[in-house]
Amino acid sequence: MVKVSRRPGGHRPRAGNPGQVIAGAFAAGIAIGTGLLLLPASSADGRSASVLDSVFTATSAVCVTGLVTVDTGTAWSTPGHVVILALMQVGGLGIMTVASLLVVLVSRRLGLRARLVAQAQSGNLDLTDVRRVLRNVVLFSLAGEAVTAVALALRLATAYGVAPATAMWESVFHAVSAFNNAGFVLWSDGMIGFAGDPWMLLPVALAVIVGGLGFPVIFELVRAWRPRSWSVTTRITIVTSAVLLIVGTVLLIVLEYGNPATLGPMGVAGKVLVGFFSAVMPRSGGFNAVDIGAMTPESWLATDVLMFIGGGSGSTAGGIKVTTFGLLAAVLWAEMSGERDVDVGRRRIPIANQRQALAVALLGIGLAMVSTFVVLGVSDEDLDRVLFEVLSALGTVGLSTGITAELPAAGQVVLVVLMFVGRLGPLALASALALRERPRHYERPEERTIIG
């Protein structure tokens, strides 16, 4: 008998499922955030907030959504705002990204398990590059937030007469919220008070766009700005994002052009600016420069589609991701063109990749349908408003027609679950599908089914 030598302690260490580890870390973050928000010091009136409001706010912050059951600016004190700010920052970067970076800084080492988890959360990175990329992710995020905060602070102080200290605090809060696609605001009317001011809207919109592209895409653009050298992921992300942004802007301007409650009273330049801003935000930004509840049902439907698609893979944005949508569009084009293979940027997309995209999209549709049905059953709200709210939570967007606080507790609990699943769902599902993939050494007889 041949004895197999093992390391002390028996079994070899396993890397584990990254999706499960990340889900547990986010759940722990929500629990800690809830506990901090329950403290009387976190509440503006000095009394403990309700458990449901605290859980909802903590989940929304950690999952960088922005939906709220109470007004952020008036319901929470300055310590409460600091807690929300910290939860947004940690949730946007990714709890495991922050934890892995701390391990690197303290011990200079990162085990295989931690590398796999950080790799899954930050994007498709080579294991040998994880430590370097983690540092770059944090530095790039802080730099982007700092630039946005300075731009907003200067505008608030010079144009709106806000005290310098207040202007800097509000700018830092909203810069973190924008870059992490969180959508939390300290102003009760969102950014409606700044509608028509490009010096306020454009920095926020740019931060949302950059944060929603995804770190793998951003770093590749920094290394190689020529489209010829882009990877398939970067090509799909950039092209699909640009198309959705242009189409969304045109649609919202046309649909809201004469609406007296939204774009109607504005000049042409203001309509274009606010239309562009409103098209950026469904990608997971969550800020609003018009009253969402006063928009037309057609605009709600267009926004629903944008919220469901979301932003880039490995980003702070939610949704099924533009890479999933772009890949499915490429599959559809290949099928309509009679092509045998699906090609993007002179590269052939593997069948397994196409199946994963289809699985993510269909599961997202199924979850949205079931959740909408449940919320409709426990509330008296209309279908279009409930669907908007559900997709906003599932896409971790944060836009609302104004019914979040009016929903019964059961409906708010559904939104809490949706925010958690929306932040982790595509990541956990993709990682689970990849880990379950196994080779088969035989093929069964082929038989076609009737389609259509």
Side-chain angles (χ1 to χ4, degrees), residues 314-333:
S315 74
T316 56
I320 64 171
K321 309 298 185 184
V322 292
T323 45
T324 302
F325 178 77
L327 179 54
L328 291 177
V331 172
L332 179 61
W333 176 258

Side-chain angles (χ1 to χ4, degrees), residues 240-254 279 302 306:
T240 308
S241 297
V243 170
L244 291 175
L245 186 55
I246 294 172
V247 172
T249 300
V250 173
L251 267 178
L252 291 177
I253 291 176
V254 171
L306 294 174

Side-chain angles (χ1 to χ4, degrees), residues 18 22 26 92-101 110 114-127 129-138 141 211 213-220 233 312-316 321 423 427 431:
I22 296 171
F26 270 84
L93 284 175
I95 290 178
M96 293 309 299
T97 299
V98 175
S100 299
L101 180 66
L110 199 62
R115 289 191 183 191
L116 287 173
V117 173
Q119 178 191 35
Q121 196 168 354
S122 302
N124 187 21
L125 310 172
D126 186 272
L127 287 178
D129 293 335
V130 169
R131 290 185 296 180
R132 176 178 58 82
V133 172
L134 287 177
R135 294 191 187 97
N136 291 342
V137 164
V138 175
S141 298
L213 284 177
F215 295 114
V217 172
I218 292 172
F219 293 154
E220 184 170 345
T233 298
S313 298
S315 74
T316 56
K321 309 298 185 184
R423 181 69 175 98
L427 169 64
S431 114

Side-chain angles (χ1 to χ4, degrees), residues 6-326:
R6 295 185 178 180
R7 297 172 58 183
H11 300 288
R12 291 181 300 174
R14 298 174 60 187
N17 187 323
Q20 295 176 357
V21 176
I22 296 171
F26 270 84
I30 292 171
I32 294 173
T34 299
L36 292 175
L37 290 177
L38 281 171
L39 297 175
S42 296
S43 182
D45 60 8
R47 295 179 295 180
S48 296
S50 71
V51 175
L52 182 56
D53 287 340
S54 300
V55 170
F56 197 100
T57 303
T59 304
S60 186
V62 171
C63 298
V64 288
T65 304
L67 286 176
V68 293
T69 53
V70 293
D71 182 67
T72 304
T74 58
W76 306 105
S77 64
T78 298
H81 292 153
V82 172
V83 171
I84 294 173
L85 174 65
L87 294 177
M88 289 190 299
Q89 183 71 82
V90 174
L93 284 175
I95 290 178
M96 293 309 299
T97 299
V98 175
S100 299
L101 180 66
L102 291 176
V103 172
V104 171
L105 295 177
V106 173
S107 66
R108 303 292 181 181
R109 298 179 61 185
L110 199 62
L112 177 61
R113 178 190 180 94
R115 289 191 183 191
L116 287 173
V117 173
Q119 178 191 35
Q121 196 168 354
S122 302
N124 187 21
L125 310 172
D126 186 272
L127 287 178
T128 59
D129 293 335
V130 169
R131 290 185 296 180
R132 176 178 58 82
V133 172
L134 287 177
R135 294 191 187 97
N136 291 342
V137 164
V138 175
L139 291 177
F140 182 82
S141 298
L142 295 178
E145 292 165 359
V147 171
T148 305
V150 170
L152 295 179
L154 290 175
R155 186 61 177 173
L156 287 174
T158 57
Y160 296 93
V162 180
T166 303
M168 181 54 66
W169 159 244
E170 292 181 348
S171 299
V172 169
F173 185 94
H174 294 96
V176 172
S177 182
F179 194 86
N180 290 290
N181 284 211
F184 277 86
V185 291
L186 297 177
W187 306 301
S188 298
D189 61 349
M191 298 198 71
I192 295 178
F194 306 108
D197 186 351
W199 297 104
M200 288 295 294
L201 298 189
L202 290 181
V204 171
L206 183 60
V208 170
I209 292 173
V210 174
L213 284 177
F215 295 114
V217 172
I218 292 172
F219 293 154
E220 184 170 345
L221 292 176
V222 172
R223 292 194 304 266
W225 57 272
R226 295 182 179 180
R228 289 183 179 180
S229 57
W230 290 352
S231 66
V232 172
T233 298
T234 299
R235 285 176 183 270
I236 294 178
T237 301
I238 296 298
V239 173
T240 308
S241 297
V243 170
L244 291 175
L245 186 55
I246 294 172
V247 172
T249 300
V250 173
L251 267 178
L252 291 177
I253 291 176
V254 171
L255 294 173
E256 296 295 323
Y257 197 88
N259 188 344
T262 56
L263 300 185
M266 302 179 186
V268 175
K271 291 177 179 178
V272 172
L273 173 64
V274 176
F276 170 77
F277 185 84
S278 300
V280 171
M281 293 308 131
R283 306 294 307 287
S284 201
F287 295 87
N288 66 296
V290 295
D291 182 3
I292 302 297
M295 294 173 69
T296 64
E298 294 83 0
S299 296
W300 286 344
L301 181 58
T303 305
D304 285 343
V305 175
L306 294 174
M307 291 192 297
F308 182 74
I309 295 173
S313 298
S315 74
T316 56
I320 64 171
K321 309 298 185 184
V322 292
T323 45
T324 302
F325 178 77

